[in-house]
Amino acid sequence: MPRMLDVSEDVRAEIGDAEADRLLVGDSAPGSYDCTSCRTPGDSDQERTSTVLFVGDETAVLAFAHATCIPSQVVNVAEDQLKGAMRSITGDESQTPEGLMPEQAVLGITSGLVLIEDDLRPALVVEPTGPIARPGTDGRGGDQFLQLLLEQGFQPTQDLNRLPGVLPGWSVLLAAGRLHAVLQPGPGGGQVAWWQAHQPLQVTEGWRTAANKSQSVLVFAAPVGSIGQQPREDLLRDALDKAAANAVLVAATMPLAGT
Ligand SMILES: [Zn+2]
């Protein structure tokens, strides 16, 4: 079913025909989103929706807006708001359209502050909504989520009181105080999205302040069923400690991109 999505010629030129067509047939359309203009919810199944591409000097982020708020367009923004992000969208030869919005249906992300080494650290907790199969397999190998992350350089975490190591080439993209993406090294240099928000995720003022101060974010990950949705940060910490004790928690420190 074609979605009610507008992709302007400018946006199409930036993201490429393949990705634009994927958006238009609904493969990677957002469904519900927060309008990038008026900040209220929208739904690309229910109302005309504009694709809006924010472009820095060499990076870009795709967002969505009510067509009644703004037309589909390319918006140039200060590079320091998008620093380090998604070089691949803007014409790098190694562009992988599927890298633009991978797996957002299966990776859940929670933000919270976690006390480590006497400081409250900004953290993201990633938990899939189901088992993750190794790409290209039929899934009969069981849940490979932890193994895949270990191969990417995440470290097993037995003790939450020690800071995880920095994972080279990965970063966490914040723009205008909202979480947009977790970026990983692209196949031909630059970065592609490992996780990208359908709708940019609101973080607390405290989280944003801590992230801007440390210029880094701790990313914890655990397989489906290990953490769950925790309504309070002390409960999130308890769940992380439990996952660590059960040896199903991996972690990495990632630099912050954006503000
Ligand atoms: Zn709007």
Side-chain angles (χ1 to χ4, degrees), residues 172-185:
V172 171
L173 176 65
L174 208 61
R178 284 165 174 243
L179 180 67
H180 281 255
V182 175
L183 304 169
Q184 65 177 346

Side-chain angles (χ1 to χ4, degrees), residues 33-42 47 64-70:
Y33 58 89
D34 270 358
C35 173
T36 195
S37 175
C38 72
R39 302 286 184 194
T40 65
E47 55 205 319
F64 301 93
H66 301 113
T68 50
C69 286
I70 49 172

Side-chain angles (χ1 to χ4, degrees), residues 16-182:
D17 284 339
E19 180 61 24
D21 292 342
R22 271 160 44 85
L23 282 165
L24 289 173
V25 299
D27 284 356
S28 56
S32 62
Y33 58 89
D34 270 358
C35 173
T36 195
S37 175
C38 72
R39 302 286 184 194
T40 65
D43 187 335
S44 64
D45 290 328
Q46 305 288 337
E47 55 205 319
R48 287 218 77 85
T49 295
S50 300
T51 53
V52 180
L53 189 69
F54 292 94
V55 177
D57 290 339
E58 55 179 18
T59 58
V61 173
L62 193 62
F64 301 93
H66 301 113
T68 50
C69 286
I70 49 172
S72 176
Q73 60 189 285
V74 174
V75 179
N76 293 301
V77 295
E79 182 63 23
D80 60 6
Q81 289 197 309
L82 294 175
K83 188 170 52 184
M86 291 194 266
R87 193 161 288 133
S88 62
I89 300 177
T90 56
D92 188 278
E93 284 303 309
S94 65
Q95 174 172 344
T96 50
E98 61 272 29
L100 193 59
M101 295 184 175
E103 298 190 348
Q104 67 269 59
V106 292
L107 291 184
I109 286 206
T110 309
S111 65
L113 290 167
V114 177
L115 185 68
I116 301 178
E117 294 179 0
D118 296 328
D119 249 332
L120 279 172
R121 317 277 179 170
L124 297 176
V125 179
V126 182
E127 182 178 7
T129 54
I132 302 294
R134 185 175 292 277
T137 69
D138 59 7
R140 267 183 283 181
D143 190 349
Q144 296 289 306
F145 184 59
L146 279 188
Q147 186 56 37
L148 289 166
L149 290 184
L150 290 170
E151 290 169 15
Q152 296 273 2
F154 280 74
Q155 295 168 356
T157 299
Q158 279 103 36
D159 180 2
L160 226 59
N161 293 309
R162 289 172 47 193
L163 283 174
V166 174
L167 190 54
W170 289 63
S171 56
V172 171
L173 176 65
L174 208 61
R178 284 165 174 243
L179 180 67
H180 281 255
V182 175

